[in-house]
Amino acid sequence: MSIANPPPLQPMLARLMGETTEKTPFWLMRQAGRYLPEYQAVRQKAGGFLELCLNPDLASQVTLQPIERFDMDGAILFSDILILAYGLGQNLRFDEGIGPILTPIRDLSGIHALNHSGFESKIAPVLETIKNLKRALTPSKTLIGFAGAPWTVTSYMIEGKTSRDFRHSKQFAFTQPDQFQILLDMVTDHTIIYLTRQIEAGVDCVQIFDSWAGMLDEESFTHFVIKPTQKIISALKTRFPACPIICFPRHAGLLLENFCQACPADAINLDPSVPLDVALKLKETHIVQGNLDPIRLLSGGPDLEKTILRWLDKMGNNRYIFNLGHGILPETPPEHVTRLAKVIKDHGIGNDALSK
Ligand code: CP3
């Protein structure tokens, strides 16, 4: 088969592959969500958040909403990291104003109560969403698949809800290390299957969210964050060497260096606490993504613009993708995102364009 017109390379994918591009590509974590009235409308139609994640037509629609409004370079699949727990047969629901609620796993019997025989059929709607999106998206847009990192997903499975200090997860790990390892391995192996299926269905790159990486000491960080992440990267790179992998070890602090040395991800999303100088240094080994404080986006005004421009100017025209340092907050005025998009798009074409 001859390829007369090869598809134009996506700006975000080009940066992930280390190429220099004129404009800085951008997308925002949680770019589809409650801050958009059009999201609220579709969510209501779906009946609930989990129902929305499992409805390929509606999930595709909400994935595309921010791209239609703000023209981001990346579209992140609309789903949730806890779909993995649901796929493993754990009871999952999302309560309004509270968040995820799962039947907590606290011992071996809780692990045995899981039933992963239905895993493939439970994740099927998500793969259907990816296929829909692949058809609907402009070829210059990058479709981002994702999963939670094993530590973050396992900790939700143990806690049963969002936690302040993750004491049940840590206590489980410290008092029943063999059982904890069984659960962590089960999550890791299914994350590999889940991301493999997403890449087969058509995503252009994947991001691994380790939102609670920063809760661990060095020893635990090595075993619960680094080791499972290495296993996932190695399995995906063996099968899909060209598919970029972005890791987000949030609030890893001084352990970020250990993470970056040990995990051969293509790109790292930085949280807001990572200094600009550290980001510049990291560019030597990884593509950098991040790290605007979501509260600066919520706040808007001249401060927002100044902060965006400082990073754009310093990070230059390669090895950097603009993003937030954590998910967009539901109270964020959509006009602030409009402004952010304009500042990024106009960057480098003269400051006059920015004055209006
Ligand atoms: O980024 C995107 O636009 C894609 C979709 C996406 C969601 N969750 C949608 C969502 C992604 C990538 C996630 C990841 C996710 N989910 C993480 C990792 C990133 C992070 O934020 O730390 C975590 C820890 C979760 C688990 C989760 N899902 C929690 C704790 C909550 C409740 C908190 C909240 O914001 O309400 C959710 C719900 C959730 N996931 C919503 C959305 C849009 C809100 C659900 C709603 O519409 O009510």
Side-chain angles (χ1 to χ4, degrees):
M1 196 177 78
S2 76
I3 304 171
N5 293 310
L9 187 55
Q10 304 159 2
M12 177 170 157
L13 212 49
R15 285 272 173 117
L16 281 172
M17 289 170 173
E19 287 177 27
T20 298
T21 63
E22 197 197 331
K23 300 274 169 206
T24 299
F26 78 107
W27 67 281
L28 304 175
M29 291 189 281
R30 294 273 184 103
Q31 63 192 19
R34 286 163 294 183
Y35 75 108
L36 290 177
E38 59 268 35
Y39 167 83
Q40 302 276 21
V42 176
R43 186 183 182 283
Q44 204 161 5
K45 195 151 67 161
F49 174 67
L50 191 56
E51 290 75 11
L52 175 54
C53 290
L54 297 172
N55 182 323
D57 285 339
L58 299 182
S60 313
Q61 272 182 40
V62 294
T63 303
L64 297 172
Q65 284 173 346
I67 315 299
E68 282 154 10
R69 215 195 239 251
F70 310 112
D71 197 33
M72 283 96 173
D73 297 285
I76 183 160
L77 161 71
F78 190 84
S79 180
D80 195 85
I81 62 165
L82 297 176
I83 290 292
L84 194 107
Y86 164 81
L88 290 173
Q90 194 171 18
N91 270 322
L92 168 67
R93 63 173 210 271
F94 286 84
D95 283 0
E96 196 71 53
I98 297 174
I101 308 284
L102 304 107
T103 311
I105 296 171
R106 298 285 159 82
D107 52 27
L108 198 57
S109 71
I111 300 175
H112 286 152
L114 294 172
N115 166 18
H116 47 257
S117 64
F119 186 75
E120 299 265 1
S121 66
K122 286 207 156 121
I123 63 166
V126 177
L127 307 180
E128 207 50 50
T129 306
I130 294 172
K131 289 178 197 153
N132 282 350
L133 286 167
K134 212 49 205 166
R135 283 191 295 268
L137 265 179
T138 318
S140 65
K141 304 295 181 194
T142 299
L143 181 58
I144 307 155
F146 73 91
W151 158 249
T152 290
V153 173
T154 302
S155 69
Y156 275 102
M157 293 174 76
I158 295 170
E159 302 292 335
K161 57 182 169 44
T162 302
S163 162
R164 263 173 183 279
D165 58 10
F166 293 85
R167 71 175 59 193
H168 294 295
S169 312
K170 290 187 189 179
Q171 268 184 336
F172 194 144
F174 301 150
T175 60
Q176 307 176 72
D178 295 344
Q179 287 87 334
F180 180 82
Q181 194 61 47
I182 291 170
L183 186 57
L184 191 67
D185 286 344
M186 187 193 288
V187 170
T188 306
D189 293 343
H190 285 81
T191 303
I192 292 171
I193 300 172
Y194 188 38
L195 289 174
T196 298
R197 297 285 176 265
Q198 290 188 31
I199 299 168
E200 287 169 346
V203 301
D204 300 303
C205 65
V206 294
Q207 177 149 330
I208 302 170
F209 289 85
D210 216 343
S211 304
W212 304 113
M215 299 301 293
L216 298 171
D217 63 23
E218 184 179 12
E219 172 77 8
S220 300
F221 189 88
T222 302
H223 292 285
F224 310 155
V225 170
I226 291 181
K227 291 250 164 78
T229 304
Q230 282 175 325
K231 192 172 173 191
I232 295 170
I233 295 176
S234 147
L236 295 180
K237 284 292 175 192
T238 304
R239 254 192 100 179
F240 310 102
C243 180
I245 300 172
I246 308 165
C247 283
F248 180 29
R250 191 168 76 96
H251 284 166
L254 292 178
L255 296 170
L256 181 64
E257 200 177 328
N258 301 24
F259 184 92
C260 290
Q261 270 170 15
C263 296
D266 299 273
I268 305 286
N269 197 110
L270 304 178
D271 67 66
S273 75
V274 179
L276 186 49
D277 284 348
V278 173
L280 280 169
K281 182 96 189 106
L282 194 60
K283 271 185 75 185
E284 291 166 16
T285 53
H286 291 76
I287 312 299
V288 171
Q289 187 176 270
N291 74 343
L292 183 77
D293 186 333
I295 297 178
R296 287 194 195 273
L297 180 58
L298 172 76
S299 308
D303 164 85
L304 171 65
E305 206 157 303
K306 216 172 68 200
T307 311
I308 296 170
L309 289 173
R310 184 164 70 243
W311 274 73
L312 291 175
D313 286 341
K314 289 273 186 196
M315 296 300 277
N317 56 3
N318 64 13
R319 304 181 69 76
Y320 172 57
I321 295 163
F322 192 93
N323 204 323
L324 298 175
H326 197 198
I328 194 164
L329 294 160
E331 301 79 11
T332 306
E335 313 82 71
H336 293 187
V337 181
T338 307
R339 187 69 193 153
L340 170 144
K342 179 157 170 54
V343 171
I344 297 172
K345 282 174 197 291
D346 289 350
H347 181 252
I349 60 170
N351 281 343
D352 315 350
L354 282 178
S355 57
K356 196 78 204 137

